[in-house]
Amino acid sequence: MRRVQSRSLTLGIETSCDETSVAVVEDGRRVLSNVIHSQVDLHKEFGGVVPELAARDHLERLPQVLDLALGRAAVKPDDIDLVAVTRGPGLVGCLLVGVGVGEGLAAAWAKPLAGVNHLWGHIYAAMLTRPDLEPPLLGLVVSGAHSDLVRMPEHGRFEVIGRTRDDAAGEAFDKAARMLGLGFPGGPALDRVARRGDPRRQRLPRPSLPGLEYSFSGLKTALLYRLRDLGEAVTDQDRADLAAAFEQSVVESLLEKLDLALDQNPVAEVVVAGGVAANSLLRRRAAEVIAGRARLTMPPLELCTDNAAMIAAAGHYGARSSSAQPADVDPSLSW
Ligand code: KG4
Ligand code: ZN
């Protein structure tokens, strides 16, 4: 049956790390379905993501996640106009599963295929949050492997203007949580425990490099030495205080550079996105730092962490931009 109104439906696929996700998004803005299967339980006993297990689980779960996504959106393969899949950066074995399935579906359904840069996907999560949001914008993408400041002058164009020299913010949170014995996944656990702590009782250094560069490895070492000094005497309250001090240090460092980037690149719209954007202190402080200078958009928690709706949205706009790439797994390409 022909559709009366012309709308464009994108099927998104995300398998770059430990979430298997398929989504259907209308016109790059409206989420019709966004099915996410988290592998947290699979990796918990290892204290981190095991790439081989993750890739195999993506392969096993994808058919069911795909069926659910189509069913919840109440669409058939024939209704889909574009298949968008994360092509990188991420765990190569995991990316290959998503890209292979994307290529297979695109071929079987005779649909075009767009390869999406996962990080730009995180920025597009903000477009799903606010349908009126348009570039130019300044973005801070904070995930498990990246802490990037980006300028987005128009759809499909991104310029990284700042990044981390060593650890990413999410990686730093995960490692700190492990040192504090808070388990996996570390970021959300540290966020919770820090609420019971006082950052002034166990002060930690605030990393600060010149320009728009981040560095979190020194802070991590400072935490390690502090825990070593406390030794057996460490209490739960010490751990909560240290979690709060660590969180404050990372968050203030992230925002100091965002503040500087906004001074250097005045724009009306600022986006803070990626898994770490789920952090409660970052959400509160970002709103304070940006207030009165630009409009801040931070996606809701379920769109901060990895999901396929953001990949579908980015694919929709990327397919319309001249810089769109095919879906080969290539973590180094910018779209
Ligand atoms: O974007 P994401 O889901 O996956 C990657 O692309 O890496 O980000 C995952 C990262 C992990 O390091 C996780 O610990 C962190 O986001 N994270 C958080 C919180 N929720 C997730 N970090 C701090 N506070 C949170 N509430
Ligand atoms: Zn991510």
Side-chain angles (χ1 to χ4, degrees):
M1 199 171 52
R2 282 182 60 136
R3 287 193 296 273
V4 181
Q5 248 186 334
S6 157
R7 58 174 190 165
S8 173
L9 294 185
T10 304
L11 182 96
I13 302 172
E14 157 62 37
T15 63
S16 67
C17 189
D18 60 344
E19 265 93 23
T20 313
S21 181
V22 180
V24 179
V25 170
E26 185 182 16
D27 298 328
R29 295 280 181 168
R30 206 163 80 82
V31 181
L32 301 189
S33 66
N34 188 21
V35 181
I36 305 167
H37 170 76
S38 164
Q39 299 179 353
V40 163
D41 290 339
L42 180 67
H43 301 294
K44 211 173 217 152
E45 64 174 299
F46 304 100
V49 178
V50 183
E52 291 78 12
L53 291 183
R56 195 185 316 158
D57 202 57
H58 285 310
L59 196 57
E60 280 169 17
R61 302 272 176 186
L62 262 178
Q64 195 197 354
V65 173
L66 170 67
D67 279 351
L68 276 173
L70 291 172
R72 284 185 197 165
V75 298
K76 297 181 301 304
D78 198 36
D79 302 324
I80 300 294
D81 298 286
L82 173 73
V83 177
V85 59
T86 303
R87 66 199 298 258
L91 299 170
V92 172
C94 294
L95 291 166
L96 279 169
V97 173
V99 167
V101 168
E103 281 173 347
L105 291 177
W109 298 348
K111 308 290 180 185
L113 178 69
V116 173
N117 179 312
H118 180 84
L119 297 171
W120 312 153
H122 277 302
I123 298 243
Y124 273 95
M127 312 275 173
L128 296 169
T129 312
R130 262 188 55 213
D132 62 318
L133 175 59
E134 289 290 341
L137 61 81
L138 184 67
L140 170 63
V141 185
V142 268
S143 72
H146 289 81
S147 304
D148 289 348
L149 283 161
V150 298
R151 233 186 346 222
M152 179 184 178
E154 59 188 68
H155 283 292
R157 270 191 59 207
F158 296 89
E159 189 193 339
V160 178
I161 55 172
R163 55 164 51 106
T164 178
R165 213 183 241 201
D166 40 60
D167 291 355
E171 188 182 358
F173 277 136
D174 292 337
K175 288 179 178 164
R178 195 177 308 171
M179 285 187 233
L180 292 165
L182 306 180
F184 171 84
L190 190 136
D191 189 346
R192 271 192 309 276
V193 170
R195 304 280 73 75
R196 295 193 277 108
D198 180 343
R200 290 163 305 184
R201 271 201 292 259
Q202 293 276 355
R203 287 184 190 279
L204 289 172
R206 161 105 45 96
S208 190
L209 295 179
L212 297 177
E213 247 189 325
Y214 293 115
S215 168
F216 298 111
S217 72
L219 174 64
K220 204 178 58 188
T221 310
L223 174 64
L224 183 73
Y225 287 161
R226 186 69 56 82
L227 280 167
R228 201 174 282 172
D229 291 345
L230 287 166
E232 299 280 293
V234 68
T235 63
D236 273 355
Q237 189 56 54
D238 291 334
R239 286 203 188 87
D241 293 341
L242 281 165
F246 192 91
E247 183 189 50
Q248 188 183 58
S249 209
V250 172
V251 164
E252 293 307 327
S253 166
L254 288 173
L255 293 177
E256 181 192 324
K257 303 299 177 176
L258 178 61
D259 192 5
L260 179 61
L262 185 56
D263 276 347
Q264 293 174 353
N265 304 272
V267 280
E269 300 282 359
V270 172
V271 167
V272 179
V276 178
N279 180 267
S280 43
L281 181 66
L282 179 59
R283 295 182 85 84
R284 199 172 68 240
R285 287 286 299 129
E288 288 166 7
V289 169
I290 302 304
R293 299 159 68 197
R295 189 162 173 191
L296 172 69
T297 306
M298 296 183 79
L301 300 197
E302 69 277 10
L303 291 178
C304 282
T305 45
D306 291 348
N307 67 88
M310 68 185 197
I311 301 303
H316 171 89
Y317 284 99
R320 280 158 181 72
S321 100
S322 53
S323 48
Q325 299 282 335
D328 328 327
V329 172
D330 186 345
S332 65
L333 283 170
S334 64
W335 179 262

